[in-house]
Amino acid sequence: MICPKCKRKYEDDMPKCLWCDAPNPNYGKEDSPEQDTAPTEGTPATPVEKAAEKQVEKPPKPHSHHKSKEPGLKIFWLALLIGFTGAHCSSSGRNLRGALYLIFGGLTYKIIYLILRENGFTIPTAVGAIAFVGYAFIVFLFLKDVWKISLGKYRNRKTGKKYESKSWMPALALIFTIIHAVMLNFNGYSTYEIVWNSGERVTAKMKLAVEDYMLAQKNYFEQTGKIGDVKEIRYMSGSVKWNGQFLYRMDGNGLRVKYMTSYHCPYKTEWRIHPVLHNGALDWEITLPEDSRCNEFAHQVASLKESLSNVPKESEPAASTPELDKGVDGVGVVPDTTQHGDSL
C-alpha cells in the first residue's frame, strides 16, 4: 500500500501509515460488517462499539430449552401418594435414597410378610416391631420431601434445578400429613398390643368377645328355651365382626373366631364355640386349635374351656352327694357313714 499523503509504502493490512499515521483508505473493506464498526487505534470506543466487539470476540451461548425450574406436579404426586416406595427420589437423581425408602418403607416388608403368612409361618414379634420403627422413620422422611417440594425447595440432582411449586400444594401436604399421623398412631397401637406381654391385651379382648356371645345366647335361651342365631340373640348386626386381630363369624348357631395375623400363631387359626342342649340345659363345646403355641397365646380361651368342663352337668350327681345304695324294694337308702367310737 502507498500512503496517499507521504507516498511511502507499507503493508496493505495495516490500518494506518507507519510514517505519517495517515489512515489506510482500503483497511477493513474485505472484513465482516462487525469488523467495520471496530474503532481505530487511539480513538475511544463508544458503549455500542464495545458491546459489538464483545459479541464478535465471544460467540453466543447455545439456546437452552429448559426453564429456570423443573415442573413439580409429577414429583409432588409421586411423593404424596407413594412416597414410601422412593419413586420421587429415583426420579430426581437420588437412587440410593430411593432404594432405602423402598426397602424400609413398609412395602418390601409387607410383601415378605404376606408370603410367609400364606405359607403358614409364624413371624417373631420383634421383627414386626423393628419393621414398624423403620416404616415410621421413612414416613417422616418422605413427608419432609413432600413439604420441600410444596415450598419449592426440592432440587433435581440431575439438572441442579429446583422443582416448581404451586400455591395449593402446602394445603394438600398438610392434609396428608395429618392422615399419615393418624395411620401411624393406629399402626403403632396395634403393634404395641401384639408385641407387649406376648399379646395379652389382644387375647383378652378375644375372650371378652366370646363371653359376650355366650351371654347373649344364654339370655336368649332363658327367655325362649331354645338356641338362637346371630339375629335372634342380637350378638352382632352382620355375619362378620372384626375386633383387633381376630375375625368373628357365625357358624350356624355357634361362633367361629379366626386369627388374622401371623404373630404368636399361624394365620387363620380358628377357635370354635358351639351351644348344645344337654338334657334340656344349655351347654358349650369349645374346639381349640391343635397347635400348642396358639393355646399358649390365647390361654384365656383354653382356661375358659377347662372351667366349663369342670362344671357338673345337671344329669350327673354333684361331687359332694353320696351315692344311693338300693335296697330290696328298690328304694334308695343313704348309707350310714358315721363313725361310732367305743362306748365308755
Side-chain angles (χ1 to χ4, degrees):
M1 174 66 186
I2 298 175
C3 178
K5 184 177 181 179
C6 64
K7 306 300 181 180
R8 294 188 180 186
K9 188 176 181 180
Y10 58 91
E11 297 294 332
D12 295 337
D13 57 348
M14 298 186 68
K16 56 185 178 179
C17 178
L18 293 174
W19 316 106
C20 65
D21 292 333
N24 184 355
N26 297 328
Y27 177 75
K29 286 186 178 181
E30 297 179 359
D31 295 338
S32 62
E34 290 80 5
Q35 292 176 337
D36 290 338
T37 58
T40 58
E41 188 175 345
T43 304
T46 63
V48 177
E49 293 174 340
K50 289 182 178 179
E53 184 178 0
K54 289 182 179 180
Q55 291 180 358
V56 173
E57 294 177 354
K58 297 181 179 180
K61 295 182 178 180
H63 178 68
S64 176
H65 296 281
H66 297 283
K67 297 181 180 179
S68 58
K69 286 189 175 182
E70 295 283 345
L73 282 178
K74 178 182 177 181
I75 196 168
F76 177 76
W77 287 112
L78 285 176
L80 194 69
L81 300 178
I82 54 173
F84 55 89
T85 64
H88 67 286
C89 296
S90 301
S91 63
S92 62
R94 296 170 173 83
N95 295 326
L96 178 59
R97 188 165 181 170
L100 293 176
Y101 280 27
L102 182 61
I103 294 172
F104 298 103
L107 180 61
T108 302
Y109 175 74
K110 287 181 179 178
I111 294 174
I112 297 174
Y113 170 81
L114 290 175
I115 294 174
L116 295 178
R117 189 189 73 174
E118 295 299 329
N119 287 275
F121 288 93
T122 301
I123 302 173
T125 55
V127 175
I130 295 173
F132 171 75
V133 172
Y135 166 71
F137 183 66
I138 296 302
V139 167
F140 169 78
L141 290 180
F142 88 72
L143 285 177
K144 181 180 177 183
D145 294 341
V146 168
W147 278 102
K148 290 180 69 175
I149 296 170
S150 65
L151 298 175
K153 297 181 180 180
Y154 197 75
R155 190 181 299 276
N156 188 331
R157 286 191 176 178
K158 297 177 181 178
T159 62
K161 297 178 181 180
K162 293 182 179 179
Y163 286 96
E164 185 179 8
S165 62
K166 302 293 183 180
S167 59
W168 49 267
M169 287 183 178
L172 200 57
L174 178 61
I175 293 174
F176 272 75
T177 300
I178 295 174
I179 292 174
H180 281 287
V182 173
M183 292 175 59
L184 275 177
N185 183 64
F186 175 78
N187 292 334
Y189 184 74
S190 300
T191 304
Y192 163 77
E193 283 197 326
I194 204 68
V195 171
W196 181 256
N197 201 15
S198 299
E200 187 77 14
R201 294 171 61 89
V202 173
T203 51
K205 287 183 179 180
M206 192 260 272
K207 181 191 175 185
L208 289 176
V210 170
E211 290 178 341
D212 288 344
Y213 160 74
M214 296 173 68
L215 180 60
Q217 194 68 263
K218 179 182 177 182
N219 292 336
Y220 182 79
F221 178 78
E222 290 177 351
Q223 294 174 4
T224 63
K226 61 181 181 179
I227 298 173
D229 58 21
V230 60
K231 294 182 179 180
E232 292 171 335
I233 66 176
R234 298 179 181 179
Y235 173 63
M236 54 187 183
S237 58
S239 60
V240 177
K241 181 180 181 181
W242 175 263
N243 182 14
Q245 311 297 327
F246 294 92
L247 187 68
Y248 303 86
R249 185 187 301 271
M250 295 302 295
D251 185 14
N253 292 331
L255 181 68
R256 178 184 297 179
V257 182
K258 185 179 294 185
Y259 189 51
M260 301 306 295
T261 61
S262 296
Y263 302 107
H264 304 289
C265 192
Y267 176 58
K268 289 186 177 180
T269 298
E270 288 188 350
W271 292 260
R272 296 183 181 183
I273 301 92
H274 281 274
V276 293
L277 292 178
H278 191 82
N279 292 335
L282 181 63
D283 200 3
W284 302 97
E285 289 183 356
I286 299 180
T287 305
L288 300 177
E290 296 180 358
D291 196 326
S292 60
R293 295 173 300 174
C294 299
N295 294 324
E296 293 175 1
F297 169 53
H299 63 90
Q300 299 95 332
V301 182
S303 300
L304 179 62
K305 178 180 180 179
E306 184 178 355
S307 64
L308 291 174
S309 63
N310 292 332
V311 176
K313 309 296 186 295
E314 291 188 3
S315 61
E316 298 176 356
S320 61
T321 304
E323 287 187 20
L324 298 178
D325 291 335
K326 294 183 179 180
V328 178
D329 55 358
V331 179
V333 179
V334 178
D336 184 6
T337 58
T338 307
Q339 295 181 357
H340 300 282
D342 295 335
S343 59
L344 295 176

